[in-house]
C-alpha cells in the first residue's frame, strides 16, 4: 500500500508543497512542531533512509539544503534544524524545523494545529524563496 507521502506525491491527497523536482518533494508537515516545519521526501518510496542508493541519499540532502535556505529567509528563526527519525511513516523523510530554541525540535511536545489558510500562506512564502 502506498504511503501517505506517495499519495501526496501522486496528488491523491492534498499537501502544501513548497518545492519539487523529478526526484524529491518538500511540503509542510500537517502536525508541525513550529510554523514552517517542512518534510523533504524522495519520490521513490523507501522506508529506511540508509537503504536509499547513495546518489538519491546525497541528492536528498542537497535538495533539503535548498529548501532550508528558503525557510531561513521566510520564517523568523536562529537556524533550521534537521531531524531524521523515520518511525512515523514508512517512507524516508527529513524534517526541516525552524529553530529558536532546542525545544523547537522536541518531537514529544504537542504539535501545532494550523488552519488550511495559514498553512497555504506559509507554504507560498517558502515556495517563493526556493531556488532549485
Amino acid at each position: 500500500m502506498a504511503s501517505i507521502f506517495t499519495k501526496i506525491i501522486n496528488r491523491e491527497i492534498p499537501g502544501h508543497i513548497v518545492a519539487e523536482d523529478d526526484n524529491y518533494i518538500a511540503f509542510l508537515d500537517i502536525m508541525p512542531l513550529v510554523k514552517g516545519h517542512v518534510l523533504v521526501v524522495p519520490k521513490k518510496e523507501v522506508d529506511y533512509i540508509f537503504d536509499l542508493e547513495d546518489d538519491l541519499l546525497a541528492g536528498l540532502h542537497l535538495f533539503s539544503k535548498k529548501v532550508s535556505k528558503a525557510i531561513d529567509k521566510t520564517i523568523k528563526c536562529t537556524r533550521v534544524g534537521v531531524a531524521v527519525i523515520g518511525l512515523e511513516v514508512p517512507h524516508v523523510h527529513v524534517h526541516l524545523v525552524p529553530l529558536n530554541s532546542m525545544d523547537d525540535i522536541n518531537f514529544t511536545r504537542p504539535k501545532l494545529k494550523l488552519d488550511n489558510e495559514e498553512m497555504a500562506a506559509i507554504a507560498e512564502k517558502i515556495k517563493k524563496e526556493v531556488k532549485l
Side-chain angles (χ1 to χ4, degrees):
M1 186 166 105
S3 77
I4 191 166
F5 297 158
T6 298
K7 291 178 180 184
I8 292 170
I9 292 163
N10 293 337
R11 307 307 198 267
E12 295 169 18
I13 60 173
H16 294 283
I17 298 167
V18 300
E20 182 174 18
D21 69 10
D22 291 341
N23 296 309
Y24 310 98
I25 190 168
F27 48 87
L28 294 182
D29 190 316
I30 60 168
M31 299 287 290
L33 293 172
V34 296
K35 291 179 183 181
H37 180 170
V38 171
L39 301 176
V40 182
V41 178
K43 289 183 175 179
K44 182 176 183 180
E45 191 172 311
V46 174
D47 181 16
Y48 182 48
I49 193 165
F50 296 120
D51 287 338
L52 287 173
E53 294 95 7
D54 290 349
D55 60 333
L56 201 57
L57 176 61
L60 176 65
H61 287 286
L62 293 172
F63 189 87
S64 296
K65 179 180 177 180
K66 292 174 183 177
V67 174
S68 73
K69 298 283 186 188
I71 294 169
D72 198 37
K73 287 181 180 178
T74 308
I75 305 296
K76 186 178 180 196
C77 62
T78 303
R79 66 179 46 182
V80 177
V82 180
V84 177
I85 299 166
L87 298 175
E88 315 89 355
V89 176
H91 190 140
V92 172
H93 55 288
V94 173
H95 294 264
L96 299 178
V97 182
L99 299 177
N100 289 300
S101 76
M102 289 295 291
D103 194 48
D104 290 338
I105 202 161
N106 177 352
F107 284 85
T108 63
R109 69 182 214 169
K111 310 304 185 275
L112 298 180
K113 290 180 175 48
L114 305 176
D115 65 37
N116 192 52
E117 290 175 6
E118 186 170 13
M119 295 279 282
I122 293 167
E124 190 59 33
K125 287 178 186 176
I126 295 171
K127 187 176 189 172
K128 286 180 181 178
E129 294 295 335
V130 174
K131 308 290 188 247
L132 295 181

